[in-house]
């Protein structure tokens, strides 16, 4: 029995009739009222709902409205059942989001045909949405990789730094109720998705500066710093065109604020403390860890222990001290990720774009 169909009707004869029609075709759950149907849906997600319009207590229209208020239930196809073969009621139901309308008493062949049609349609729709999501994910990583290819020193940085963001975010959520309320699991997923785009603004930095092997002059460094605002601007335009892509909200905050410092001495705005979005404070630690451990054309990457020292020294000045505490709890996971990369790349670690870090000789 591949599918589960929820039948909601306060008329016993009608429920039993539908049950007999469907029992050999799918798993059937019966609810005797609108209220009971919502309770069932809060525990499991049926693949399709057959919903009587006329019921004592909560009627079919109200049940449909309540289902629509919950994102995870709003896409379940709902077929209205009515004794009233009235065009106006049918139109009203379809307008409010019902997938179909069947008049009682229900004919078995019509019922099976319509249910089969909607289940198939719904499955294709779901597959299509999954494919679009994959495609979008591919495009996002593609953008990030364009930047990575231009900045020849940062091989693998985007992938690793988003893994570090995930490790820090997950642990921070676990240890603080305040944080887990402010940053849901879904938010963290979006932040991890957004992290590879943090340096997208480098796409607008001239090669002469981006690829310069030696230290940057003060003027060049000022230009390099614009990658944060530029990245925010690029992503803001993307979000404006695709407002359903909510992870772009986080991508904008991360791109704009990942070089802000906790004590207000960062750029571009000189934000301090909690003024810096949490996702950007997390990114700052991840970005610096990866950049410092990685090789640049003008220096060797530092060891995990040396990098740990830099991060600990930066608590309260460069970094949010709470995040440094979290880093110390999960540092072995960071080290494992880093070692994994060293093995994969034959011992040559790539380094990130920690523009403006104390240890960088380019930070003129
Ligand atoms: Fe950056």
């Amino acid at each position: 029995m591949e599918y589960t169909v929820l039948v909601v009707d306060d008329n016993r004869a009608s429920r039993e009739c539908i049950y007999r029609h469907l029992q050999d075709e799918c798993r059937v759950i019966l609810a005797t009222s609108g209220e009971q149907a919502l309770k069932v849906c809060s525990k499991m997600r049926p693949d399709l709902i057959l919903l009587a319009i006329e019921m004592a207590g909560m009627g079919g229209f109200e049940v449909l409205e309540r289902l629509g208020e919950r994102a995870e239930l709003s896409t379940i196809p709902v077929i209205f059942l009515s004794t009233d073969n009235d065009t106006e009621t049918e139109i009203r139901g379809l307008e409010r989001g019902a997938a179909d309308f069947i008049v009682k008493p229900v004919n078995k062949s019509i019922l099976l045909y319509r249910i089969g049609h909607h289940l198939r349609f719904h499955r294709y729709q779901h597959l299509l949405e999954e494919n679009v999501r994959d495609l979008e994910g591919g495009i996002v990583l593609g953008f990030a990789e364009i930047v990575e290819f231009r900045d020849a020193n940062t091989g693998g940085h985007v992938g690793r730094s988003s893994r570090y963001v995930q490790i820090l975010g997950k642990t921070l959520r676990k240890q603080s109720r305040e944080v887990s309320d402010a940053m849901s699991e879904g938010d963290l997923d979006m932040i991890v998705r957004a992290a590879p785009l943090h340096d997208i603004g480098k796409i607008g930095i001239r090669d002469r500066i981006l690829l310069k092997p030696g230290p940057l002059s003060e003027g060049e460094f000022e230009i390099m710093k614009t990658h944060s605002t530029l990245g925010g601007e690029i992503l803001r335009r993307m979000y404006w065109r695709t407002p359903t892509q909510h992870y772009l909200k986080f991508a904008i905050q991360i791109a704009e604020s990942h070089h802000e410092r906790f004590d207000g001495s960062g750029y571009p705005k000189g934000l301090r403390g909690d003024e810096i979005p949490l996702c950007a404070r997390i990114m700052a630690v991840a970005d610096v860890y990866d950049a410092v451990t990685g090789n640049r054309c003008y220096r060797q990457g530092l060891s995990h222990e040396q990098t740990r020292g830099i991060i600990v020294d930066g608590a309260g000045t460069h970094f949010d001290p709470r995040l440094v505490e979290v880093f110390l709890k999960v540092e072995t996971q960071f080290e494992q990720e880093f070692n994994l990369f060293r093995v994969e790349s034959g011992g040559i670690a790539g380094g990130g774009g920690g523009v403006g870090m104390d240890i960088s000789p380019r930070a003129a």
Side-chain angles (χ1 to χ4, degrees), residues 303-362:
S303 69
H304 170 79
E305 283 69 29
Q306 288 168 309
T307 310
R308 176 186 193 273
I310 288 171
I311 290 178
V312 170
D313 286 348
T317 51
H318 191 156
F319 308 113
D320 180 342
R322 269 190 314 175
L323 278 163
V324 175
E325 266 176 50
V326 172
F327 167 77
L328 291 174
K329 276 192 182 157
V330 294
E331 62 166 315
T332 47
Q333 288 183 57
F334 270 62
E335 201 177 0
Q336 275 165 11
E337 283 293 321
F338 174 61
N339 287 335
L340 190 71
F341 175 72
R342 288 180 81 95
V343 172
E344 279 173 0
S345 64
I348 303 163
V355 179
M357 277 177 296
D358 292 334
I359 60 109
S360 169
R362 305 180 76 182

Side-chain angles (χ1 to χ4, degrees), residues 165 179 181-200 228 231-232 235-236 239 243 245-258 277-283:
V165 164
V179 171
D181 285 347
M183 179 175 72
S184 70
E185 214 176 324
D187 287 344
L188 180 59
D189 285 346
M190 285 195 271
I191 291 167
V192 172
R193 257 179 94 190
L197 294 168
H198 67 280
D199 270 341
I200 189 115
S228 53
L235 292 162
R236 200 166 268 119
Y239 190 39
Q245 302 303 307
H246 299 302
Y247 77 97
L248 288 174
K249 273 191 294 193
F250 292 108
I252 294 166
Q253 293 178 348
I254 291 173
E256 260 175 5
S257 304
H258 69 285
L278 178 59
C279 56
R281 278 178 271 152
I282 297 174
M283 187 76 228

Side-chain angles (χ1 to χ4, degrees), residues 159-178:
R160 278 194 313 277
S161 52
S162 77
R163 175 75 186 119
Y164 296 141
V165 164
Q166 188 179 36
I167 295 169
L168 287 172
K170 214 170 146 182
T171 314
L172 184 67
R173 281 194 80 248
K174 259 190 223 159
Q175 74 170 42
S176 160
R177 178 71 199 266
E178 189 199 330

